Amino acid sequence: MKNIICISLFFLLLPLMLLSQNKAAIEIQNNSDLERNEAVVAINWQTILSHYPQIDTSNFVVINAETKKQIPYQLEHKGLPKIQNLLIQVNVKAKTTLSLFIQKGKPNPVEVKTYARYVPERKDDFAWENDKIAFRTYGKAIENTNEDAYGFDVWVKRTDKMVINERYKLGNYHKDNGNGMDYYHVGHTLGAGNMAPFIKDTIRYSANYHQWKLLDNGPLRSTFQLIYDTWNAGGIKVKAVKTISLDAGSQLSRVENKYTFDDNKSMPVVVGIIKRPESGVILLEEQKGIMGYWEPTAKEDGTTGVGSILTTPVKNMFVNKEQILGITEVKNNEPIVYYTGASWDKAGEIVNSVQWFEYLNHFSQELKNPLLVSVR
């Protein structure tokens, strides 16, 4: 009799058991007072597999449990053969929980909102962008020319479409052809938030990057690495690998630098923003690690906001003749993470210094109050 009862229960529970293998539920919890709009959330792929082992990577959808609409997603590899994370872009109101589920189905096309590439046709540039802003940095081919520059460059835009390829093809990207332009000057500075060793109170610039590696390329996050040859940083031999990623909807890139250097266990480094000769508005919040700059207006070209957020303790923030600088410290062969980026008033979203500094403060608070993800 017991055997008959057990067999009967097994067959009764079998549909539920099979169903649990063909769906996964996700909850994204926002415990803060911050509205989270267009947030790109990473969900560990192994965790998803543990709840949905039969998932078909080419035939599944992520559904909002309330609206029943699809949520755009990306499979993040981080340069590895296997999937590392499921990336989704969501809005989560303050003090609420967003419920989603994954099931079999044909996903809708996802709009490309981030893009990055090596640009050999323009002296080894490396450029990256999202639906808000664009950036570039410089490679070996531009060294020892009158165009050489050390820092990050900003390409402002007022479209959510990708513009990098179009602008390089046109060649005259210093002119606004309707969607923005490059009027940002970098020169021999850190530009829009690059980092360099700071030895004996002097910035020790590296040469430009020598190797690159694209790890992921959209549609919601693009990530790449830049590798720098060994250089002499005030008597210290230093090598660097910079891993940069940009999420859809964000004005700021995430920068993870790993410095390898001889003898010393730690080394001071500086993040810098070039300062213009004319009067602009500067924000220095050492305790929060926030540097902000609302540049002087460039006549008909508009106004650029630039900002950096350090996630490690700041030793000092100050302004010299050329740059706005924040000093922190790195350990040998250990990654250091910070965020840096820009905005443009002609894009129509952030139009003055108050809004730009509010954005930087809000971004900093988001980093300290991450969304909580659970899968079942």
Side-chain angles (χ1 to χ4, degrees):
M1 180 65 72
K2 285 183 179 179
N3 289 339
I4 294 172
I5 293 172
C6 288
I7 291 170
S8 299
L9 285 172
F10 173 79
F11 281 107
L12 285 170
L13 294 172
L14 183 59
L16 293 175
M17 292 165 63
L18 291 173
L19 182 63
S20 67
Q21 297 290 303
N22 288 284
K23 184 178 285 190
I26 302 169
E27 288 193 346
I28 302 175
Q29 193 171 351
N30 182 2
N31 291 331
S32 74
D33 294 322
L34 307 170
E35 297 287 324
R36 302 300 298 270
N37 297 316
E38 299 183 299
V40 175
V41 179
I43 306 168
N44 182 272
W45 188 251
Q46 287 301 315
T47 302
I48 292 171
L49 285 179
S50 68
H51 294 276
Y52 189 178
Q54 304 302 320
I55 190 170
D56 179 353
T57 56
S58 63
N59 191 34
F60 78 89
V61 292
V62 181
I63 302 294
N64 183 314
E66 182 178 351
T67 66
K68 310 304 180 188
K69 293 182 178 180
Q70 288 192 28
I71 300 294
Y73 68 81
Q74 173 185 336
L75 299 177
E76 183 183 33
H77 286 260
K78 294 187 174 182
L80 300 171
K82 292 185 177 180
I83 300 166
Q84 302 299 302
N85 292 309
L86 172 69
L87 303 178
I88 56 175
Q89 188 176 32
V90 293
N91 298 325
V92 191
K93 294 181 180 179
K95 299 291 186 180
T96 64
T97 298
L98 177 65
S99 296
L100 313 171
F101 59 87
I102 302 172
Q103 66 179 25
K104 185 177 180 179
K106 182 180 180 180
N108 294 331
V110 180
E111 181 183 359
V112 174
K113 295 183 177 182
T114 70
Y115 178 68
R117 81 169 176 99
Y118 168 59
V119 191
E121 69 269 28
R122 221 303 297 197
K123 298 181 179 179
D124 293 348
D125 283 359
F126 202 101
W128 65 105
E129 67 177 314
N130 66 2
D131 50 345
K132 304 292 184 182
I133 196 77
F135 307 93
R136 70 169 166 174
T137 193
Y138 305 94
K140 298 296 286 187
I142 205 171
E143 289 180 359
N144 302 315
T145 74
N146 60 5
E147 296 178 290
D148 194 11
Y150 301 156
F152 294 153
D153 190 18
V154 178
W155 281 15
V156 293
K157 54 192 287 188
R158 52 166 167 244
T159 175
D160 58 3
K161 306 303 180 186
M162 303 297 100
V163 301
I164 285 174
N165 287 338
E166 174 192 331
R167 290 190 187 177
Y168 276 114
K169 187 175 181 179
L170 287 172
N172 63 341
Y173 44 78
H174 295 294
K175 175 185 176 182
D176 188 349
N177 293 297
N179 60 24
M181 62 188 299
D182 172 22
Y183 74 95
Y184 192 79
H185 174 67
V186 176
H188 293 170
T189 74
L190 292 167
N194 201 2
M195 177 185 280
F198 191 68
I199 310 299
K200 299 175 184 177
D201 295 328
T202 302
I203 302 173
R204 307 294 177 168
Y205 296 103
S206 68
N208 294 332
Y209 82 88
H210 195 185
Q211 297 173 284
W212 61 274
K213 184 178 181 181
L214 191 58
L215 306 182
D216 288 284
N217 205 3
L220 300 179
R221 174 179 293 169
S222 292
T223 305
F224 59 94
Q225 284 185 340
L226 302 175
I227 298 100
Y228 295 77
D229 293 339
T230 302
W231 77 99
N232 187 336
I236 302 173
K237 289 184 179 179
V238 180
K239 291 189 293 186
V241 177
K242 302 189 176 187
T243 304
I244 300 172
S245 64
L246 182 60
D247 285 355
S250 177
Q251 304 288 154
L252 308 183
S253 299
R254 180 186 187 273
V255 184
E256 179 179 303
N257 292 341
K258 183 181 285 188
Y259 291 97
T260 306
F261 44 91
D262 295 335
D263 301 329
N264 302 290
K265 293 182 179 179
S266 62
M267 178 177 70
V269 293
V270 64
V271 174
I273 298 170
I274 185 171
K275 183 173 71 70
R276 308 304 175 190
E278 303 81 12
S279 179
V281 186
I282 296 172
L283 172 72
L284 299 180
E285 294 193 4
E286 280 189 11
Q287 295 301 314
K288 295 180 180 179
I290 301 174
M291 296 192 305
Y293 185 39
W294 189 252
E295 291 195 333
T297 300
K299 297 181 180 178
E300 71 274 6
D301 295 333
T303 313
T304 301
V306 187
S308 302
I309 300 174
L310 286 73
T311 65
T312 48
V314 176
K315 290 190 172 184
N316 188 21
M317 283 184 179
F318 62 98
V319 181
N320 66 17
K321 188 176 180 180
E322 289 187 324
Q323 302 186 70
I324 303 161
L325 300 167
I327 303 172
T328 185
E329 195 172 80
V330 297
K331 293 183 179 179
N332 184 28
N333 208 34
E334 292 187 15
I336 181 171
V337 174
Y338 71 103
Y339 296 80
T340 193
S343 65
W344 189 38
D345 63 342
K346 286 193 173 184
E349 293 185 19
I350 298 169
V351 299
N352 55 50
S353 62
V354 173
Q355 291 180 344
W356 178 231
F357 297 160
E358 283 178 351
Y359 179 89
L360 294 174
N361 270 286
H362 192 279
F363 196 103
S364 177
Q365 291 178 58
E366 288 179 352
L367 295 175
K368 295 170 184 174
N369 297 275
L371 298 172
L372 303 178
V373 179
S374 60
V375 183
R376 54 181 175 81

